[in-house]
Amino acid sequence: MGEVMYPVTEPGEGAAGKTGNWRWQKPIIIIDKCVKCGLCWVYCPEPAIYLDKMGYPHVNYEWCKGCGICAHECPSKAIEMVSEYE
Amino acid sequence: MTYKVEIRWHGRGGHGLVSTSNLLCEMVVRKGYYAQSIPIFGAERRGAPTQVFTRISDSPIRKRSEIKNPDIVIVTDPSLFNIIDPLHGLVDKGIVIVNANESTEISSENNFKIIKVNAVEISLESGLTVGGIPVVTIPLMGALLKILGIVDLKTVEEVIRERWRPEIAERNIKALKMASEVVEIG
Amino acid sequence: MSRTKLVLTGNYASAYAVLHSKVEIVPAYPITPQTTIVEKIDEFIETGMLDATMVRVESEHSAMAVAIGASAVGVRTYTATSSHGLLYMYENLWWAANARLPIVATFVTRTLGPPWNIWSDHQDFMTLRDSGWILFMVKDAQEAYDLTIQAFKIAENPDVRLPVGIAYDAFVISHTAEPVELLTQEEADKFLPSPRAIQPLLDVDKPYSIGNLPRADYHYILRKNLWENILDAKKAIREVGREYGELSGRDYSSLVEEYKCEDADTVFISMGAMAGEGMDAVDKLRDKGYKVGHLTIRTYRPFPDHEIKTIAENAKRLIVFSRALSNGKGGILYDDIASTLYREGQRIETYDIIAGLAGTEVSEEDFMKIYYDTRSGKLDTGKSIFIRRGEYV
């Protein structure tokens, strides 16, 4: 008998390959303005934002698609979207 | 010798035909027979003419179509004769058990054996009523059981007592016994 | 404890099978003629006989959605529906099969409207033909009970992992009371593994995502995998049926039920309630000296190709009764049989009889009339022939 195959996927990094090169603009975190609320980390759909031990966010540019949700959600305007082509 | 009886019940929605036919099946199955109780569902509601079929046999019953040529017809309300023909397809010398008093006239050109059971009176006398309305199917089944002669009284009582609490069970048994006394076998 | 024989309707027989299978969750929405199954199960739960959760959902679509979620975490899951309810459930029925969830469901067949109709034909059931569900159609209450219990064992088999549906005709089976012999709870427990043996698809310790967007090439392989597994399931069905036979004395090791087919030159083929009439017709015709048999298709998917082939090797005429119609084509069961014969290279006389649509009764006389008319050459082979209560229409 053939083994049963299930339509399931295990969690893992990037089944479709690295997505960083899909980006035309990238988020730059301005640490001076950051209040460490963590909302960018919560909202990032990838997730391509991680928090360091101090609670400051950092972007993993290998996976960040540049959607800009983090910049939109940031209450202290500490994330700026910058064009990849400038 | 094979034993096969086909019974067709005519009544009105709310008379309890389905329950009574099922109860009869339970009794005969306990005596080792096979049985089948088929209700006909449609737009019937309380008061509308309804039919139920009972098949009894000493071998497994495969067919489940409507009974067109019954050996026995049971009619729970004589007024049904005015709107339908409950006796259609009844076999030669077939038996009709009808809820009626002696003076009710049921005419039939064929050689059917018509047994009148005053089921209303029996039910009232046995205290067998639901919401004040006499349960007519139980006395009619009492007459039927007597005619069939395949279920002993002990089994009848056993099945009834399993189904109802003692007070109600006794009323059912009383009605069944009274009805069976009305029927003369011969 | 000894076995009991109760007088039960087909629906109550199904409910007793659910009780004895120790089902854990029943998400259901009522529809005539399915309702009394779920009512009875609810009674078992309310009286403490069955430790299960009844989920009162707002639609059949939700019923199957709940069933999918419950089954995915490895809970023994059952539901039942009919007709328009089945169609309302439809999207999720396919989802359940493709997700390989061992749900068991009863489908009480009922004509689709309009016009409104509560009586049986097989049109609703036939929409599941290609869905990946393992499909049984039974011909009495005893089979409904027996196969529902077996269904869990088949569905949960790690080599099968497919939902199983048990279908039977509205009223003539669902509401007809007849003697049914029940297993004792001890026997049922011995036969069926504990629900805890069901392999969960969702597991907090080993997170998965079900149904994510795949690559098309991989998806193709998943589809072929299901196709292989449902064909292989014939082995599991036969094995479980044999084992059940040893336990109960009622053997289910064949996908079909042959009746007097060994020396028959003509074989009726039908499924569901009308099979009883077909077998009674066989007896009457045999009394007159005709060599006639009847084949009841009990396992509809996977389809019993091998059994049909064997029958066709000995018979010269097959008369197929379909209670469902592929509009613009013909009798659905007929087309199944005809395609099997063609694939096997068997060219014998076949007749496509459309009977019992919209709940019209199919009687022993109908079978006999068709038999005589095929013998006398009155009917065309391969053409859809409509018969309603003894008359061609």
Side-chain angles (χ1 to χ4, degrees), chain C residues 55-100:
Chain C
V55 187
R56 294 169 184 84
V57 286
E58 74 277 30
S59 75
E60 286 85 357
H61 188 273
S62 304
M64 189 43 66
V66 173
I68 286 168
S71 187
V73 293
V75 170
R76 189 166 283 161
T77 308
Y78 172 87
T79 188
T81 191
S82 287
S83 195
H84 290 270
L86 190 157
L87 263 58
Y88 197 14
M89 192 183 264
Y90 200 55
E91 175 192 8
N92 282 336
L93 285 161
W94 284 68
W95 216 100
N98 282 322
R100 314 302 300 268

Side-chain angles (χ1 to χ4, degrees), chain C residues 77-308:
Chain C
T77 308
Y78 172 87
T79 188
T81 191
S82 287
S83 195
H84 290 270
L86 190 157
L87 263 58
Y88 197 14
M89 192 183 264
Y90 200 55
E91 175 192 8
N92 282 336
L93 285 161
W94 284 68
W95 216 100
N98 282 322
R100 314 302 300 268
L101 298 170
I103 297 163
V104 172
T106 300
F107 304 116
V108 187
T109 62
R110 167 185 156 182
T111 305
L112 295 166
W116 210 230
N117 185 316
I118 57 171
W119 304 291
S120 180
D121 72 25
H122 298 164
Q123 205 72 49
D124 53 354
F125 170 71
M126 283 297 178
T127 64
L128 289 174
R129 186 186 66 173
D130 307 329
S131 65
W133 279 63
I134 289 174
L135 298 171
F136 293 112
M137 181 165 271
V138 300
K139 65 179 195 323
D140 57 36
Q142 183 71 61
E143 286 188 0
Y145 173 82
D146 292 339
L147 268 164
T148 305
I149 292 178
Q150 292 172 60
F152 288 102
K153 193 158 188 165
I154 296 162
E156 293 163 9
N157 182 327
D159 292 328
V160 176
R161 288 289 301 201
L162 286 167
V164 178
I166 297 104
Y168 49 77
D169 295 79
F171 300 110
V172 279
I173 294 178
S174 70
H175 286 62
T176 292
E178 52 193 333
V180 178
E181 190 187 71
L182 307 176
L183 300 181
T184 65
Q185 186 62 58
E186 292 72 33
E187 286 175 318
D189 289 345
K190 236 162 116 189
F191 177 76
L192 266 188
S194 152
R196 294 293 68 74
I198 302 171
Q199 184 188 334
L201 209 52
L202 288 175
D203 183 347
V204 283
D205 295 327
K206 201 182 173 198
Y208 274 122
S209 166
I210 308 180
N212 237 348
L213 185 74
R215 284 179 296 112
D217 291 11
Y218 176 66
H219 196 168
Y220 186 108
I221 297 301
L222 285 176
R223 298 279 294 274
K224 176 154 186 269
N225 177 255
L226 192 156
W227 180 81
E228 282 170 351
N229 290 157
I230 195 169
L231 285 178
D232 283 346
K234 288 180 186 179
K235 280 181 223 155
I237 294 166
R238 291 191 184 106
E239 182 54 30
V240 169
R242 189 192 52 74
E243 200 187 315
Y244 191 85
E246 282 167 8
L247 172 70
S248 66
R250 294 180 295 276
D251 183 67
Y252 287 85
S253 63
S254 175
L255 306 186
V256 296
E257 186 182 334
E258 286 184 33
Y259 185 69
K260 300 190 177 174
C261 290
E262 317 80 48
D263 63 336
D265 57 36
T266 302
V267 176
F268 295 125
I269 301 179
S270 77
M271 54 200 274
M274 69 165 85
E277 260 70 19
M279 285 186 264
D280 278 5
V282 165
D283 284 353
K284 289 238 168 104
L285 290 165
R286 288 248 167 199
D287 285 346
K288 294 178 199 295
Y290 300 112
K291 287 188 171 175
V292 185
H294 184 278
L295 183 76
T296 312
I297 308 285
R298 188 168 54 216
T299 310
Y300 180 62
R301 283 293 183 275
F303 195 67
D305 292 292
H306 174 75
E307 290 77 358
I308 303 293

Side-chain angles (χ1 to χ4, degrees), chain B residues 49-182:
Chain B
T50 55
Q51 285 181 62
V52 175
F53 308 111
T54 318
R55 283 192 174 95
I56 302 169
S57 173
D58 56 1
S59 54
I61 302 163
R62 283 189 304 230
K63 67 165 55 173
R64 18 189 92 239
S65 48
E66 297 177 5
I67 292 174
K68 292 163 197 96
N69 301 109
D71 302 291
I72 301 170
V73 163
I74 298 172
V75 187
T76 62
D77 178 354
S79 74
L80 285 168
F81 282 95
N82 303 328
I83 46 173
I84 55 166
D85 175 19
L87 307 185
H88 68 90
L90 183 61
V91 298
D92 189 41
K93 293 179 185 161
I95 297 168
V96 185
I97 304 172
V98 55
N99 167 28
N101 53 33
E102 272 311 312
S103 60
T104 311
E105 237 174 78
I106 291 152
S107 62
S108 161
E109 291 163 13
N110 305 54
N111 58 350
F112 301 140
K113 182 177 181 185
I114 294 171
I115 296 165
K116 292 180 193 170
V117 177
N118 197 333
V120 173
E121 201 179 272
I122 291 172
S123 291
L124 289 174
E125 241 176 79
S126 322
L128 190 59
T129 58
V130 174
I133 299 166
V135 180
V136 294
T137 48
I138 293 293
L140 294 171
M141 184 172 75
L144 174 65
L145 283 166
K146 175 94 173 269
I147 290 160
L148 293 174
I150 56 172
V151 187
D152 55 291
L153 190 62
K154 193 172 151 274
T155 308
V156 170
E157 291 186 11
E158 187 183 286
V159 172
I160 298 270
R161 292 209 169 97
E162 283 169 25
R163 175 81 61 114
W164 287 287
R165 60 190 157 90
E167 188 195 348
I168 306 294
E170 291 319 311
R171 291 178 198 172
N172 277 282
I173 291 165
K174 189 180 175 192
L176 284 165
K177 280 183 178 167
M178 281 179 73
S180 70
E181 279 158 20
V182 176

